[in-house]
PDB file of all heavy atoms in Angstrom:
ATOM      1  N   SER A 298       2.559   8.679 -12.606  1.00 50.00           N
ATOM      2  CA  SER A 298       2.426   7.228 -12.603  1.00 50.00           C
ATOM      3  C   SER A 298       3.417   6.641 -11.611  1.00 50.00           C
ATOM      4  O   SER A 298       4.508   7.154 -11.432  1.00 50.00           O
ATOM      5  CB  SER A 298       2.635   6.662 -14.000  1.00 50.00           C
ATOM      6  OG  SER A 298       3.983   6.405 -14.237  1.00 50.00           O
ATOM      7  N   THR A 299       2.999   5.601 -10.959  1.00 54.00           N
ATOM      8  CA  THR A 299       3.839   4.943  -9.969  1.00 54.00           C
ATOM      9  C   THR A 299       4.429   3.698 -10.608  1.00 54.00           C
ATOM     10  O   THR A 299       3.705   2.855 -11.112  1.00 54.00           O
ATOM     11  CB  THR A 299       3.003   4.561  -8.737  1.00 54.00           C
ATOM     12  OG1 THR A 299       2.352   5.726  -8.264  1.00 54.00           O
ATOM     13  CG2 THR A 299       3.873   3.993  -7.645  1.00 54.00           C
ATOM     14  N   SER A 300       5.748   3.598 -10.582  1.00 60.00           N
ATOM     15  CA  SER A 300       6.382   2.431 -11.172  1.00 60.00           C
ATOM     16  C   SER A 300       6.192   1.222 -10.263  1.00 60.00           C
ATOM     17  O   SER A 300       5.899   1.345  -9.077  1.00 60.00           O
ATOM     18  CB  SER A 300       7.870   2.688 -11.402  1.00 60.00           C
ATOM     19  OG  SER A 300       8.560   2.637 -10.171  1.00 60.00           O
ATOM     20  N   THR A 301       6.391   0.059 -10.823  1.00 61.00           N
ATOM     21  CA  THR A 301       6.271  -1.174 -10.056  1.00 61.00           C
ATOM     22  C   THR A 301       7.263  -1.180  -8.902  1.00 61.00           C
ATOM     23  O   THR A 301       6.928  -1.568  -7.788  1.00 61.00           O
ATOM     24  CB  THR A 301       6.495  -2.386 -10.971  1.00 61.00           C
ATOM     25  OG1 THR A 301       5.531  -2.328 -12.019  1.00 61.00           O
ATOM     26  CG2 THR A 301       6.340  -3.685 -10.213  1.00 61.00           C
ATOM     27  N   ALA A 302       8.483  -0.732  -9.143  1.00 60.00           N
ATOM     28  CA  ALA A 302       9.508  -0.698  -8.082  1.00 60.00           C
ATOM     29  C   ALA A 302       9.065   0.202  -6.942  1.00 60.00           C
ATOM     30  O   ALA A 302       9.251  -0.137  -5.767  1.00 60.00           O
ATOM     31  CB  ALA A 302      10.843  -0.239  -8.651  1.00 60.00           C
ATOM     32  N   ASP A 303       8.464   1.356  -7.260  1.00 68.00           N
ATOM     33  CA  ASP A 303       7.985   2.265  -6.214  1.00 68.00           C
ATOM     34  C   ASP A 303       6.928   1.587  -5.349  1.00 68.00           C
ATOM     35  O   ASP A 303       6.894   1.757  -4.143  1.00 68.00           O
ATOM     36  CB  ASP A 303       7.386   3.542  -6.823  1.00 68.00           C
ATOM     37  CG  ASP A 303       8.429   4.457  -7.435  1.00 68.00           C
ATOM     38  OD1 ASP A 303       9.629   4.304  -7.109  1.00 68.00           O
ATOM     39  OD2 ASP A 303       8.040   5.322  -8.243  1.00 68.00           O
ATOM     40  N   LYS A 304       6.058   0.809  -5.967  1.00 66.00           N
ATOM     41  CA  LYS A 304       5.001   0.129  -5.226  1.00 66.00           C
ATOM     42  C   LYS A 304       5.586  -0.858  -4.228  1.00 66.00           C
ATOM     43  O   LYS A 304       5.139  -0.961  -3.094  1.00 66.00           O
ATOM     44  CB  LYS A 304       4.047  -0.600  -6.177  1.00 66.00           C
ATOM     45  CG  LYS A 304       3.192   0.330  -7.009  1.00 66.00           C
ATOM     46  CD  LYS A 304       2.346  -0.449  -7.982  1.00 66.00           C
ATOM     47  CE  LYS A 304       1.545   0.477  -8.866  1.00 66.00           C
ATOM     48  NZ  LYS A 304       0.765  -0.250  -9.873  1.00 66.00           N
ATOM     49  N   PHE A 305       6.605  -1.594  -4.634  1.00 64.00           N
ATOM     50  CA  PHE A 305       7.192  -2.584  -3.736  1.00 64.00           C
ATOM     51  C   PHE A 305       8.007  -1.931  -2.624  1.00 64.00           C
ATOM     52  O   PHE A 305       8.209  -2.531  -1.580  1.00 64.00           O
ATOM     53  CB  PHE A 305       8.028  -3.596  -4.517  1.00 64.00           C
ATOM     54  CG  PHE A 305       7.177  -4.527  -5.331  1.00 64.00           C
ATOM     55  CD1 PHE A 305       7.278  -4.551  -6.705  1.00 64.00           C
ATOM     56  CD2 PHE A 305       6.256  -5.363  -4.723  1.00 64.00           C
ATOM     57  CE1 PHE A 305       6.481  -5.404  -7.459  1.00 64.00           C
ATOM     58  CE2 PHE A 305       5.458  -6.217  -5.461  1.00 64.00           C
ATOM     59  CZ  PHE A 305       5.568  -6.236  -6.836  1.00 64.00           C
ATOM     60  N   ASP A 306       8.478  -0.715  -2.842  1.00 76.00           N
ATOM     61  CA  ASP A 306       9.213   0.010  -1.804  1.00 76.00           C
ATOM     62  C   ASP A 306       8.278   0.727  -0.845  1.00 76.00           C
ATOM     63  O   ASP A 306       8.698   1.192   0.204  1.00 76.00           O
ATOM     64  CB  ASP A 306      10.162   1.036  -2.433  1.00 76.00           C
ATOM     65  CG  ASP A 306      11.337   0.376  -3.137  1.00 76.00           C
ATOM     66  OD1 ASP A 306      11.649  -0.787  -2.804  1.00 76.00           O
ATOM     67  OD2 ASP A 306      11.936   1.027  -4.012  1.00 76.00           O
ATOM     68  N   ASP A 307       7.009   0.840  -1.217  1.00 79.00           N
ATOM     69  CA  ASP A 307       6.017   1.580  -0.436  1.00 79.00           C
ATOM     70  C   ASP A 307       5.431   0.682   0.658  1.00 79.00           C
ATOM     71  O   ASP A 307       4.771  -0.309   0.362  1.00 79.00           O
ATOM     72  CB  ASP A 307       4.914   2.067  -1.377  1.00 79.00           C
ATOM     73  CG  ASP A 307       3.858   2.904  -0.702  1.00 79.00           C
ATOM     74  OD1 ASP A 307       3.896   3.061   0.538  1.00 79.00           O
ATOM     75  OD2 ASP A 307       2.973   3.400  -1.416  1.00 79.00           O
ATOM     76  N   ASP A 308       5.674   1.050   1.933  1.00 83.00           N
ATOM     77  CA  ASP A 308       5.159   0.274   3.073  1.00 83.00           C
ATOM     78  C   ASP A 308       3.629   0.225   3.108  1.00 83.00           C
ATOM     79  O   ASP A 308       3.060  -0.642   3.752  1.00 83.00           O
ATOM     80  CB  ASP A 308       5.647   0.874   4.390  1.00 83.00           C
ATOM     81  CG  ASP A 308       6.851   0.155   4.946  1.00 83.00           C
ATOM     82  OD1 ASP A 308       7.365  -0.775   4.302  1.00 83.00           O
ATOM     83  OD2 ASP A 308       7.268   0.534   6.056  1.00 83.00           O
ATOM     84  N   ASP A 309       2.978   1.176   2.447  1.00 83.00           N
ATOM     85  CA  ASP A 309       1.523   1.257   2.493  1.00 83.00           C
ATOM     86  C   ASP A 309       0.843   0.627   1.269  1.00 83.00           C
ATOM     87  O   ASP A 309      -0.379   0.599   1.191  1.00 83.00           O
ATOM     88  CB  ASP A 309       1.081   2.710   2.644  1.00 83.00           C
ATOM     89  CG  ASP A 309       1.523   3.293   3.976  1.00 83.00           C
ATOM     90  OD1 ASP A 309       1.424   2.583   4.996  1.00 83.00           O
ATOM     91  OD2 ASP A 309       1.978   4.452   4.000  1.00 83.00           O
ATOM     92  N   TYR A 310       1.629   0.143   0.333  1.00 89.00           N
ATOM     93  CA  TYR A 310       1.049  -0.470  -0.862  1.00 89.00           C
ATOM     94  C   TYR A 310       0.453  -1.829  -0.502  1.00 89.00           C
ATOM     95  O   TYR A 310       1.128  -2.689   0.070  1.00 89.00           O
ATOM     96  CB  TYR A 310       2.095  -0.622  -1.967  1.00 89.00           C
ATOM     97  CG  TYR A 310       1.523  -1.208  -3.222  1.00 89.00           C
ATOM     98  CD1 TYR A 310       0.691  -0.449  -4.046  1.00 89.00           C
ATOM     99  CD2 TYR A 310       1.775  -2.521  -3.580  1.00 89.00           C
ATOM    100  CE1 TYR A 310       0.137  -0.997  -5.191  1.00 89.00           C
ATOM    101  CE2 TYR A 310       1.219  -3.081  -4.730  1.00 89.00           C
ATOM    102  CZ  TYR A 310       0.405  -2.312  -5.522  1.00 89.00           C
ATOM    103  OH  TYR A 310      -0.154  -2.848  -6.650  1.00 89.00           O
ATOM    104  N   PRO A 311      -0.826  -2.056  -0.825  1.00 82.00           N
ATOM    105  CA  PRO A 311      -1.496  -3.315  -0.448  1.00 82.00           C
ATOM    106  C   PRO A 311      -1.086  -4.472  -1.360  1.00 82.00           C
ATOM    107  O   PRO A 311      -1.814  -4.876  -2.251  1.00 82.00           O
ATOM    108  CB  PRO A 311      -2.972  -2.962  -0.595  1.00 82.00           C
ATOM    109  CG  PRO A 311      -2.993  -1.923  -1.669  1.00 82.00           C
ATOM    110  CD  PRO A 311      -1.728  -1.127  -1.488  1.00 82.00           C
ATOM    111  N   ALA A 312       0.077  -5.032  -1.096  1.00 86.00           N
ATOM    112  CA  ALA A 312       0.666  -6.029  -1.983  1.00 86.00           C
ATOM    113  C   ALA A 312       0.299  -7.470  -1.648  1.00 86.00           C
ATOM    114  O   ALA A 312       0.493  -8.351  -2.472  1.00 86.00           O
ATOM    115  CB  ALA A 312       2.188  -5.884  -1.969  1.00 86.00           C
ATOM    116  N   TYR A 313      -0.220  -7.719  -0.452  1.00 92.00           N
ATOM    117  CA  TYR A 313      -0.384  -9.097   0.001  1.00 92.00           C
ATOM    118  C   TYR A 313      -1.850  -9.497   0.131  1.00 92.00           C
ATOM    119  O   TYR A 313      -2.640  -8.795   0.750  1.00 92.00           O
ATOM    120  CB  TYR A 313       0.311  -9.298   1.355  1.00 92.00           C
ATOM    121  CG  TYR A 313       1.771  -8.946   1.283  1.00 92.00           C
ATOM    122  CD1 TYR A 313       2.219  -7.692   1.686  1.00 92.00           C
ATOM    123  CD2 TYR A 313       2.697  -9.846   0.774  1.00 92.00           C
ATOM    124  CE1 TYR A 313       3.568  -7.354   1.603  1.00 92.00           C
ATOM    125  CE2 TYR A 313       4.039  -9.524   0.686  1.00 92.00           C
ATOM    126  CZ  TYR A 313       4.466  -8.270   1.094  1.00 92.00           C
ATOM    127  OH  TYR A 313       5.788  -7.932   1.000  1.00 92.00           O
ATOM    128  N   THR A 314      -2.166 -10.651  -0.429  1.00 93.00           N
ATOM    129  CA  THR A 314      -3.510 -11.200  -0.282  1.00 93.00           C
ATOM    130  C   THR A 314      -3.691 -11.679   1.155  1.00 93.00           C
ATOM    131  O   THR A 314      -2.714 -11.859   1.891  1.00 93.00           O
ATOM    132  CB  THR A 314      -3.720 -12.402  -1.211  1.00 93.00           C
ATOM    133  OG1 THR A 314      -2.797 -13.440  -0.827  1.00 93.00           O
ATOM    134  CG2 THR A 314      -3.538 -12.026  -2.669  1.00 93.00           C
ATOM    135  N   MET A 315      -4.911 -11.922   1.534  1.00 94.00           N
ATOM    136  CA  MET A 315      -5.175 -12.417   2.880  1.00 94.00           C
ATOM    137  C   MET A 315      -4.449 -13.734   3.132  1.00 94.00           C
ATOM    138  O   MET A 315      -3.836 -13.924   4.183  1.00 94.00           O
ATOM    139  CB  MET A 315      -6.666 -12.590   3.139  1.00 94.00           C
ATOM    140  CG  MET A 315      -6.944 -13.202   4.506  1.00 94.00           C
ATOM    141  SD  MET A 315      -8.672 -13.435   4.829  1.00 94.00           S
ATOM    142  CE  MET A 315      -9.060 -11.820   5.464  1.00 94.00           C
ATOM    143  N   GLY A 316      -4.507 -14.644   2.185  1.00 95.00           N
ATOM    144  CA  GLY A 316      -3.854 -15.939   2.360  1.00 95.00           C
ATOM    145  C   GLY A 316      -2.352 -15.798   2.543  1.00 95.00           C
ATOM    146  O   GLY A 316      -1.759 -16.437   3.413  1.00 95.00           O
TER     147      GLY A 316
END
Side-chain angles (χ1 to χ4, degrees):
S298 88
T299 305
S300 75
T301 302
D303 289 342
K304 290 176 183 177
F305 288 118
D306 289 338
D307 183 355
D308 262 3
D309 295 319
Y310 182 73
Y313 303 97
T314 63
M315 176 181 274

